[in-house]
Amino acid sequence: MVTIADVARHAGVSSSTVSYVLSGKRAISEETRNRVRISVRELGYHPNAGARALAARRSHIVALMVPLRTDVYVPVMMEIAIAVTMAARQHGYDVLLITNDEGPDGVKRIAASGLADGVILMDVELDDERIPVLRAQGVQAALIGLPDDPQSLSCVDHDFIAAGALCADHLADLGHSEIAFIGYGSGVYHRHAGYAERTLTGFRDQAEQRGLRFLHRSCEGTYESTAGTLARILADRPGTTGFVVQNEGAIGPLLTLLRTSGRTVPEDVSVIALCQDQLAEQFAPRLTAVTGSAQELGRVAVDQIMRRLTAAAAGDRPVDDRVLLTPVLTVRDSTGPAPRQQS
């Protein structure tokens, strides 16, 4: 393994000079800095992480807490996690992935271990029990998700209220007046997941403004549960011509069930989903969808935690900020004008 002494001999300088060049703690001439940098590159030297952490009292690690529950859509969670990892590397940080659903105990464990300089939380609930622990422990954190009380925190999320409103407006503009909202399983709402509750709030408020008649049904996302959900919707509201789906698992079964029941999409019924573009493009017909960038969520969260860590290291109070990403409606083949009523 290449050592700092090897770099010093190769560059013709002292080991302390190499340390000063790498840390930037003392002014070194440009010529000397260039010699050291060339030696570092040619020898393939990498500073020892443990020694660097002891010297700087920083681990250069961020903990990413991703509770992989059975009711979350794992591909999107992993897409965000990859974006966090790539953005963190641009800042010279590694990411420690915590996937167990440990709740407040997980935050306490990370804070006590000193393994990470800061924490990024995902799957944030409106009254998330991890947040009081973050505040009590003084842990620098960024949240991917918006709690009811974001005080002293940095948060980034999609604007789910606006996303729900976009769905209502799109179907209303097409002339639909009977709408069904198929959401996630009941457990997601019972634990007050922000993305689910805020989307439903945005849809409900806008639907009322537009004079739509609507109902909401939760769904576990299996074929059987989707079949039962659709049957109950059509029994309660046989005139339903518009469907909003915020449940990735239910999309495929819903399209199949509509087709087998003799309802053609979009001639008889329209379907709009809240999902990523890659998923929307996989179905036939291609889905009209309201989307947001998973990569942008990860990038912004990393920028937020880095600003907080820099401020804390300088003895300054970190600035709390809240970022809501604007959703995008992409019209494809699954929505069309409401069918004319038979006279």
Side-chain angles (χ1 to χ4, degrees):
M1 183 177 68
V2 178
T3 67
I4 199 168
D6 296 328
V7 175
R9 282 193 295 271
H10 189 275
V13 298
S14 67
S15 295
S16 59
T17 298
V18 175
S19 296
Y20 294 144
V21 170
L22 296 176
S23 66
K25 289 183 176 179
R26 288 194 183 180
I28 304 294
S29 71
E30 187 65 28
E31 179 186 354
T32 302
R33 282 203 306 272
N34 286 337
R35 290 213 312 274
V36 170
R37 288 167 180 163
I38 291 170
S39 296
V40 166
R41 184 168 61 251
E42 290 183 355
L43 296 177
Y45 172 72
H46 296 283
N48 179 271
R52 183 179 62 182
L54 288 172
R57 296 191 176 182
R58 296 173 74 172
S59 66
H60 289 269
I61 293 173
V62 170
L64 176 63
M65 305 194 75
V66 191
L68 296 182
R69 303 180 175 96
T70 57
D71 58 12
V72 302
Y73 187 60
V74 174
V76 169
M77 303 290 274
M78 289 297 96
E79 190 174 354
I80 297 172
I82 291 170
V84 167
T85 302
M86 294 177 65
R89 285 305 309 144
Q90 294 178 354
H91 291 273
Y93 269 72
D94 292 311
V95 173
L96 174 64
L97 186 64
I98 311 294
T99 58
N100 290 338
D101 185 11
E102 299 178 74
D105 289 339
V107 176
K108 291 177 183 177
R109 180 170 64 84
I110 294 301
S113 70
L115 283 173
D117 296 330
V119 174
I120 296 176
L121 295 189
M122 289 178 59
D123 197 20
V124 175
E125 298 167 3
L126 298 181
D127 51 357
D128 203 299
E129 294 180 344
R130 296 172 293 179
I131 291 173
V133 179
L134 286 175
R135 294 187 176 117
Q137 298 285 338
V139 178
Q140 296 302 327
L143 276 57
I144 299 179
L146 183 64
D148 277 338
D149 179 14
Q151 183 180 0
S152 74
L153 300 168
S154 293
C155 311
V156 59
D157 205 357
H158 296 306
D159 189 341
F160 285 107
I161 289 179
L166 278 176
C167 295
D169 277 335
H170 180 62
L171 292 176
D173 290 344
L174 290 171
H176 296 274
S177 57
E178 293 267 8
I179 313 296
F181 187 109
I182 298 177
Y184 287 109
S186 58
V188 173
Y189 297 96
H190 287 159
R191 61 183 176 84
H192 302 296
Y195 56 87
E197 293 210 0
R198 286 200 168 92
T199 303
L200 183 57
T201 296
F203 169 78
R204 178 184 290 121
D205 290 348
Q206 195 63 14
E208 290 174 350
Q209 288 285 330
R210 298 297 299 268
L212 303 180
R213 193 164 179 255
F214 65 90
L215 51 75
H216 165 245
R217 294 290 182 268
S218 61
C219 178
E220 299 305 320
T222 64
Y223 185 90
E224 292 76 12
S225 63
T226 308
T229 299
L230 179 60
R232 288 190 295 274
I233 289 171
L234 296 177
D236 293 341
R237 300 280 176 84
T240 298
T241 62
F243 290 86
V244 177
V245 188
Q246 189 184 26
N247 184 326
E248 291 87 350
I251 296 171
L254 176 65
L255 293 174
T256 299
L257 289 160
L258 289 171
R259 190 180 306 117
T260 57
S261 70
R263 292 170 173 84
T264 304
V265 179
E267 287 81 4
D268 300 320
V269 293
S270 288
V271 178
I272 181 172
L274 294 114
C275 69
Q276 294 299 299
D277 285 324
Q278 302 95 304
L279 185 61
E281 293 277 357
Q282 292 177 10
F283 294 101
R286 298 179 313 136
L287 288 172
T288 293
V290 174
T291 61
S293 170
Q295 293 88 348
E296 187 71 0
L297 283 178
R299 186 194 64 77
V300 173
V302 170
D303 286 347
Q304 288 178 326
I305 193 65
M306 292 303 153
R307 286 195 295 271
R308 296 188 73 89
L309 292 174
T310 299
D316 300 327
R317 183 185 180 283
V319 175
D320 308 331
D321 61 323
R322 184 179 71 176
V323 177
L324 290 179
L325 304 179
T326 302
V328 176
L329 168 67
T330 303
V331 179
R332 297 187 178 89
D333 305 328
S334 67
T335 54
R340 293 183 179 180
Q341 298 294 325
Q342 297 291 330
S343 56

